[in-house]
């Protein structure tokens, strides 16, 4: 299997394939990373922090993350870079080194995309929930072709639900889109029953 080198951006949040993530960048190492990425048309890996913080010394991170590509960017007068990245496919960082400026460089593998999987009948309520949540912001959302794909629907629901970071990471690492929907359905049921018990 062929590995490739890319920068790693350890964050306190999880980026899913197909997802959008707004970032405010001010540290020199990450400003340089974005400049290099734009110049070389190269992405970087967003990985959830396992130990440490987003700023300062390089943090430890979960090895499975998502390749991010810069969608747009704008720098304000104070030097803060506002950028939005889109998640592409999942990657696994096998080894990493830390540059003098504390930017992490990883040796990574592309992970296989999940097979196209339809939405099972028992998961139709999840699809309806996602459609209701998203049509409020995007009237065309309900006609998206991706709504027929279990992987895409699962990742979008995982973005919307109030999940703890460790659970978000677990959902990213799952490789079966139907199992991911099962887990999300259980989480929603737990939320509902918890609400009823607290009344």
């Amino acid at each position: 299997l062929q590995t490739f080198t890319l920068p790693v951006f350890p964050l306190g949040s999880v980026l899913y394939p197909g997802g959008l993530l707004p970032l405010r960048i001010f540290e020199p190492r990450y400003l340089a990373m974005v400049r290099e990425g734009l110049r070389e048309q190269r992405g970087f890996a967003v990985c959830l922090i396992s130990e440490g913080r987003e700023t300062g010394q390089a943090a430890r991170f979960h090895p499975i993350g998502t390749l991010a590509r810069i969608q747009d960017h704008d720098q304000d007068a104070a030097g803060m870079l506002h950028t939005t990245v889109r998640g592409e496919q999942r990657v696994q960082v096998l080894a990493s080194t830390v540059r003098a400026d504390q930017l992490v460089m990883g040796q990574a593998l592309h992970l296989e995309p999940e097979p196209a999987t339809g939405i099972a009948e028992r998961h139709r309520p999840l699809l309806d929930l996602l459609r209701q949540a998203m049509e409020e912001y995007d009237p065309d959302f309900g006609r998206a072709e991706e709504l027929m794909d279990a992987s895409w629907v699962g990742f979008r629901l995982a973005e919307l639900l109030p999940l703890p970071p460790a659970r978000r990471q677990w959902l990213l690492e799952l490789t079966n889109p139907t199992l991911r929907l099962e887990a999300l359905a259980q989480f929603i049921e737990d939320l509902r029953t918890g609400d009823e018990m607290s009344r």
Side-chain angles (χ1 to χ4, degrees):
L1 292 174
Q2 192 169 7
T3 63
F4 61 101
T5 303
L6 83 172
V8 178
F9 198 165
L11 286 175
S13 51
V14 173
L15 175 65
Y16 291 112
L20 291 173
L21 182 66
L23 297 170
R24 292 185 303 161
I25 297 172
F26 57 90
E27 288 193 87
R29 57 179 162 172
Y30 295 129
L31 290 170
M33 177 188 76
V34 170
R35 281 196 296 270
E36 289 169 18
L38 289 169
R39 187 173 63 246
E40 299 168 16
Q41 296 187 314
R42 180 177 68 173
F44 54 89
V46 170
C47 294
L48 179 67
I49 290 172
S50 59
E51 186 183 328
R53 296 170 23 176
E54 290 183 354
T55 56
Q57 291 287 108
R60 294 181 181 274
F61 54 89
H62 292 270
I64 293 179
T66 301
L67 179 64
R69 296 275 183 189
I70 297 163
Q71 290 282 105
D72 56 62
H73 59 96
D74 181 48
Q75 196 155 11
D76 64 25
M80 177 87 73
L81 183 68
H82 301 267
T83 183
T84 301
V85 300
R86 179 178 292 278
E88 294 189 352
Q89 69 192 102
R90 287 173 296 192
V91 293
Q92 182 172 2
V93 181
L94 303 176
S96 62
T97 56
V98 180
R99 293 196 328 200
D101 63 359
Q102 292 299 300
L103 181 68
V104 179
M105 298 299 296
Q107 283 294 116
L109 280 174
H110 287 294
L111 297 181
E112 285 293 313
E114 291 176 350
T117 306
I119 308 289
E121 192 60 39
R122 67 184 182 280
H123 294 142
R124 288 284 163 175
L126 294 177
L127 184 56
D128 295 338
L129 179 66
L130 180 63
R131 194 179 269 122
Q132 288 166 14
M134 294 304 295
E135 281 182 342
E136 185 178 335
Y137 307 103
D138 180 4
D140 293 328
F141 183 84
R143 293 192 288 274
E145 288 180 23
E146 296 98 332
L147 285 172
M148 296 299 104
D149 182 67
S151 180
W152 191 87
V153 168
F155 286 138
R156 301 294 76 77
L157 273 173
E159 289 166 350
L160 288 169
L161 291 169
L163 296 160
R167 178 52 61 98
R168 292 185 189 278
Q169 180 67 25
W170 179 74
L171 290 168
L172 176 70
E173 293 180 12
L174 274 182
T175 56
N176 184 315
T178 302
L179 284 180
R180 187 179 296 111
L181 289 178
E182 293 281 1
L184 289 164
Q186 185 60 55
F187 179 79
I188 291 166
E189 182 61 27
D190 291 346
L191 276 181
R192 286 176 176 154
T193 55
D195 287 344
E196 287 169 8
M197 289 174 68
S198 63
R199 284 176 192 157

